[in-house]
Amino acid sequence: MIAGARYRSRVIRVLLAEDQAMVREALATLLGLEDDIEVAVQAPNGAGLVELAREHAVDVALLDIEMPGRGGIEAAGDLTASGLGVKVVILTTFGRPGYLRRAMEAGASAFLVKDAPAAQLADAVRKVLAGERVIDPALAAEALAGGANPLTARERDVLRAAADGAATNADIAQLLHLSQGTVRNYLSLAIQKTGARNRAEAARAARDKGWL
Amino acid sequence: MIAGARYRSRVIRVLLAEDQAMVREALATLLGLEDDIEVAVQAPNGAGLVELAREHAVDVALLDIEMPGRGGIEAAGDLTASGLGVKVVILTTFGRPGYLRRAMEAGASAFLVKDAPAAQLADAVRKVLAGERVIDPALAAEALAGGANPLTARERDVLRAAADGAATNADIAQLLHLSQGTVRNYLSLAIQKTGARNRAEAARAARDKGWL
DNA sequence: ACTTCTGCATGACAGATGTCACGGCCCGCG
DNA sequence: CGCGGGCCGTGACATCTGTCATGCAGAAGT
């Protein structure tokens, strides 16, 4: 095979991580129809992707953002830190500015919402491999205008616990090994920083911005 | 074309409703690869599906359960009531017993969770057209054992309002034109019927069972 | 007619939530 | 070194939430 021909017919090897099997397989099928893209490996979540990427000589990783156990952003961090040079595309249902920021910080090269046309998926794969970035300009502007997440780590922990199902302050205190007074303080601060009236509203606001 | 050959090579015309464009197009592509299935029309939500089904001579409708505006179960009801004889397959992220019950009540012939392998999708389409039902036995058992939704219509309204973002009793009262005392009463009843400790837990429990 | 059910409301009260003040400890930075 | 920020906790207090008792109105059924 001569070098010129190889360069033009290079097949991009893709790793696809998405917890819903039906959606994952459908996306793999869609990508598999592209002449220059091959889905080399699929995974149900973000765990162990560095090993998979290495084994399968993956060029681009397509990671769903919310998966049980290890999510897309954490997995992006793993892949970036691995030094394998795998390009990362994050897929998400909701275009939350905080998610975008965290994805970029984790080393992702693209951020796609599932509302986008399917054609953008293969495009994004090609672009990131070519060294480009793929981000919705409006979302980028929102993320940049929105400022950093104002919640401290502990405020975030407490608010996330509330958002994830801890029904009472006693639940949260037990979960995080804090006193109830401390829980109330952290929640109060989180409520103020999110401009909310109570924990439910604060959790919703923080989640919508991708702060949790 | 002779009758026998036509019967064996019959192409099933499918309507696919799913709000996330990328997922919808991927699923359409996947189904389009089947020799006997054609995705005749796609829709981003459950509105106006009766007209679409009629125009496109649809045999089977694949409806995502949660879509903005009119959802899958409502659309299933529309299609069933239309008398067009369209078979309905409901697609859902969460296999909630209450959702299964409501889908069946709305006339659906199949209920598939997105965690299932993609192969089950085409299978389900063929089976429902052949007059069969496609339901996970474990989920059916759970729905049958779980009993009916114990919440009255008004309790459901109030709990749904809380679950959907009304942050305070005052918000709910205003939204539903009730006094705050009445809101507190209905929530209290809903909390008890769901075996929860507060509204957050009640909303989660009711949602998990598909009662909202 | 009476009964039952649902929806709605008031009132009293206990417990949970949220706010604020305050203080101690540790760490990093200039 | 001092300072600021984050973490953690206590205490006081106002407000919100949740429970319970009670009663009224309307509709449907017997």
Side-chain angles (χ1 to χ4, degrees):
Chain A
M1 188 182 293
I2 56 177
R6 180 167 181 275
Y7 176 80
R8 282 201 304 269
S9 63
R10 164 77 193 273
V11 171
I12 308 171
R13 298 177 65 81
V14 170
L15 175 158
L16 175 57
E18 153 68 58
D19 55 314
Q20 294 177 2
M22 199 177 282
V23 174
R24 183 177 72 240
E25 287 164 34
L27 289 174
T29 299
L30 186 77
L31 285 173
L33 295 180
E34 303 290 335
D35 289 342
D36 57 333
I37 295 173
E38 171 192 11
V39 178
V41 60
Q42 301 180 30
N45 61 46
L49 296 193
V50 170
E51 294 314 309
L52 281 185
R54 183 179 286 125
E55 273 175 52
H56 293 272
V58 167
D59 302 303
V60 178
L62 278 180
L63 312 177
D64 188 48
I65 204 163
E66 290 195 37
M67 297 187 278
R70 205 149 183 82
I73 291 179
E74 288 133 304
D78 297 340
L79 289 164
T80 302
S82 75
L84 291 177
V86 177
K87 300 292 186 180
V88 173
V89 177
I90 296 284
L91 279 184
T92 179
T93 299
F94 305 109
R96 291 168 173 154
Y99 279 2
L100 173 57
R101 182 185 293 262
R102 284 162 56 204
M104 295 299 111
E105 285 166 4
S109 302
F111 190 86
L112 283 189
V113 292
K114 289 180 182 173
D115 285 344
Q120 281 188 23
L121 192 57
D123 272 0
V125 168
R126 295 185 190 105
K127 283 181 173 171
V128 296
L129 194 69
E132 291 179 49
R133 300 286 184 138
V134 180
I135 312 173
D136 177 53
L139 187 56
E142 190 184 347
L144 289 166
N149 182 342
L151 303 173
T152 66
R154 276 319 238 173
E155 287 159 10
R156 214 159 44 235
D157 289 343
V158 167
L159 188 57
R160 188 185 295 115
D164 284 353
T168 63
N169 290 340
D171 287 352
I172 300 171
Q174 184 170 33
L175 185 69
L176 299 180
H177 309 295
L178 298 172
S179 77
Q180 288 190 41
T182 302
V183 168
R184 297 208 301 276
N185 281 332
Y186 283 138
L187 275 176
S188 182
L189 289 170
I191 287 165
Q192 287 172 47
K193 290 181 180 180
T194 50
R197 286 170 295 167
N198 58 31
R199 72 187 55 191
E201 229 178 36
R204 185 179 309 275
R207 189 148 271 172
D208 284 350
K209 292 190 193 323
W211 286 345
L212 292 181
Chain B
M1 187 184 294
I2 56 175
R6 178 167 183 277
Y7 176 79
R8 282 200 307 270
S9 62
R10 166 78 192 272
V11 171
I12 306 172
R13 299 176 65 80
V14 168
L15 175 160
L16 176 56
E18 152 70 56
D19 55 315
Q20 294 177 3
M22 199 177 282
V23 174
R24 183 177 73 242
E25 289 164 35
L27 290 174
T29 299
L30 186 77
L31 284 173
L33 295 180
E34 304 289 335
D35 289 342
D36 57 335
I37 295 174
E38 171 192 9
V39 177
V41 59
Q42 302 180 29
N45 61 48
L49 297 192
V50 171
E51 295 312 310
L52 281 185
R54 183 180 287 124
E55 273 175 51
H56 294 271
V58 167
D59 300 305
V60 177
L62 279 180
L63 313 176
D64 188 48
I65 203 164
E66 289 196 38
M67 297 187 278
R70 205 148 182 82
I73 290 180
E74 288 135 304
D78 296 341
L79 289 165
T80 301
S82 74
L84 291 179
V86 178
K87 301 291 186 181
V88 174
V89 177
I90 295 285
L91 279 184
T92 179
T93 299
F94 306 109
R96 292 168 173 155
Y99 278 2
L100 173 58
R101 183 186 293 264
R102 284 162 55 207
M104 295 298 110
E105 284 167 3
S109 301
F111 190 86
L112 283 190
V113 292
K114 290 181 184 174
D115 285 344
Q120 280 188 24
L121 192 57
D123 271 359
V125 168
R126 296 185 189 105
K127 282 182 175 171
V128 296
L129 194 68
E132 290 177 50
R133 300 289 182 134
V134 180
I135 312 173
D136 177 53
L139 187 56
E142 190 183 347
L144 288 167
N149 183 344
L151 304 173
T152 65
R154 276 319 241 172
E155 287 159 9
R156 215 160 42 235
D157 289 344
V158 167
L159 188 58
R160 189 186 292 115
D164 285 353
T168 65
N169 289 340
D171 287 352
I172 300 170
Q174 186 171 32
L175 185 68
L176 299 180
H177 310 293
L178 298 172
S179 76
Q180 290 191 38
T182 302
V183 168
R184 297 208 301 275
N185 280 333
Y186 284 136
L187 276 177
S188 182
L189 289 169
I191 288 165
Q192 287 171 46
K193 290 182 181 180
T194 50
R197 286 172 294 170
N198 57 31
R199 70 187 56 193
E201 231 179 33
R204 183 179 311 272
R207 189 149 269 172
D208 284 351
K209 291 189 194 323
W211 286 346
L212 293 181

